[in-house]
Amino acid sequence: MVLPTSDTLVTYPQGAVGSASRVIHVEIRDDGRRAVLLDTTAFHPVDHAWPDQGPDRGELVADGSSWPVVDCVVGATDGTTLYLGGEAPVRKGTDGWAFVVVHLLDGDGPAEGDDVVVRVDAAHRAALSAGHTGCHLASLALNRALAGRWKKDAAPDALGAPNFDALAIDTTVIGEFGSVDRYRLGKSLRRKGFGTEGLDTDATASIVNATLAVWTSTGAPITIGADGPGLTDRRRWICDLPGEQAEIPCGGTHLASLAGVAVSVHLDLADVDGTPVLRMETRVDVPSPA
């Protein structure tokens, strides 16, 4: 039972929804699921360290048989043990460790050495990609709308505005054609210089949506820059917006352009255990397939 010594090669960053792959490791986990490692895969796994975008759906196919992938996660191995998700005792990129895409199956599956075809649910991938692209755009537009509330210098975002999104984010959940972000407006953020008094969510949403309308009207192309084909190679979301280019570190999947895309947000405030929380719900509408 040989475990890999290098990262899984991944093709999903460039939009692939299928790959010809070879099974390099199979093991049965304690919960009875079959963990399958491939040399190359189009499957996007969920990353325990930042699980904002969930895993792809799909199947592995070989010799007339198909096996649904019930989950897909980032794993790590030191060559002797395979760790899944939060089990890993080291961070991604640690020397001497391989970081892998683990396809989890119920019951039977392919064997080590088998050639398989990876088939990703393209409709589900497209819906999540739309949600992730909209999430990035909305966060940039929100940062710009709130820029005047900072009383101290704050680290800038990809477009130069104070990065409220990075400094206040509590959780992000990316779903089909949208996302939900929650920001904590507590004492820590106020000490960093952000003024929370009199925040009008409707007025702020109007400003955000006006910015998003200008950006999406360009139909700008979106690309993923990558330092290499491995799972842990650094990747960046790149979008040419009017007069400026946004570049954000990102390991997820995205739309190929803003052509025909509409993005809008709704903002509301809530009190969570005594701390004000700003909630941003983002909706993405995309052209219907021809």
Side-chain angles (χ1 to χ4, degrees), residues 123 126-132 174-179 255 282-287:
L128 290 181
S129 295
H132 206 150
I174 294 168
E176 294 189 344
F177 304 108
S179 61
L255 298 175
T282 303
R283 176 68 188 175
V284 183
D285 293 312
V286 301

Side-chain angles (χ1 to χ4, degrees), residues 8-9 11 17-27 33-44 56-73 101-121:
T8 306
L9 302 181
T11 60
V17 291
S19 58
S21 308
R22 175 158 291 181
V23 179
I24 58 175
H25 180 76
V26 176
E27 67 179 62
R33 295 187 298 178
R34 182 181 299 262
V36 178
L37 308 187
L38 307 175
D39 58 352
T40 302
T41 187
F43 256 89
H44 174 268
D56 280 332
R57 299 173 184 168
E59 61 184 359
L60 307 182
V61 180
D63 297 327
S65 297
S66 64
W67 303 277
V69 177
V70 298
D71 200 1
C72 190
V73 303
V101 178
V102 184
H103 311 75
L104 293 166
L105 317 178
D106 282 335
D108 294 336
E112 290 181 9
D114 284 354
D115 291 320
V116 300
V117 173
V118 172
R119 292 180 180 168
V120 173
D121 182 331

Side-chain angles (χ1 to χ4, degrees), residues 197-250:
E197 303 82 4
L199 178 60
D200 186 327
T201 55
D202 289 341
T204 302
S206 293
I207 296 170
V208 172
N209 287 330
T211 300
L212 291 169
V214 171
W215 287 348
T216 55
S217 69
T218 65
I222 296 168
T223 58
I224 302 297
D227 292 348
L231 178 62
T232 61
D233 284 321
R234 184 178 175 85
R235 294 188 290 278
R236 301 166 301 282
W237 175 85
I238 303 169
C239 184
D240 289 318
L241 298 173
E244 52 196 343
Q245 184 181 81
E247 186 171 320
I248 298 175
C250 183

Side-chain angles (χ1 to χ4, degrees), residues 85-111:
E87 300 172 356
V90 295
R91 301 180 67 176
K92 282 191 302 182
T94 300
D95 288 343
W97 286 74
F99 294 84
V100 293
V101 178
V102 184
H103 311 75
L104 293 166
L105 317 178
D106 282 335
D108 294 336

Side-chain angles (χ1 to χ4, degrees), residues 136-290:
H136 282 342
L137 290 171
S139 68
L140 291 170
L142 180 65
N143 289 346
R144 181 166 292 187
L146 297 176
R149 288 186 162 269
W150 290 91
K151 302 178 180 67
K152 299 179 182 178
D153 290 339
D157 68 10
L159 297 178
N163 202 340
F164 170 84
D165 176 76
L167 294 169
I169 193 68
D170 183 26
T171 61
T172 298
V173 178
I174 294 168
E176 294 189 344
F177 304 108
S179 61
V180 176
D181 296 276
R182 287 163 48 96
Y183 302 97
R184 294 178 65 86
L185 308 183
K187 294 179 181 178
S188 175
L189 188 66
R190 293 196 294 272
R191 283 196 295 268
K192 293 173 183 175
F194 185 80
T196 61
E197 303 82 4
L199 178 60
D200 186 327
T201 55
D202 289 341
T204 302
S206 293
I207 296 170
V208 172
N209 287 330
T211 300
L212 291 169
V214 171
W215 287 348
T216 55
S217 69
T218 65
I222 296 168
T223 58
I224 302 297
D227 292 348
L231 178 62
T232 61
D233 284 321
R234 184 178 175 85
R235 294 188 290 278
R236 301 166 301 282
W237 175 85
I238 303 169
C239 184
D240 289 318
L241 298 173
E244 52 196 343
Q245 184 181 81
E247 186 171 320
I248 298 175
C250 183
T253 65
H254 288 278
L255 298 175
S257 80
L258 298 179
V261 174
V263 182
S264 60
V265 306
H266 172 77
L267 299 174
D268 59 63
L269 280 169
D271 186 283
V272 178
D273 298 327
T275 298
V277 171
L278 177 66
R279 179 179 178 273
M280 178 168 70
E281 182 174 356
T282 303
R283 176 68 188 175
V284 183
D285 293 312
V286 301
S288 299

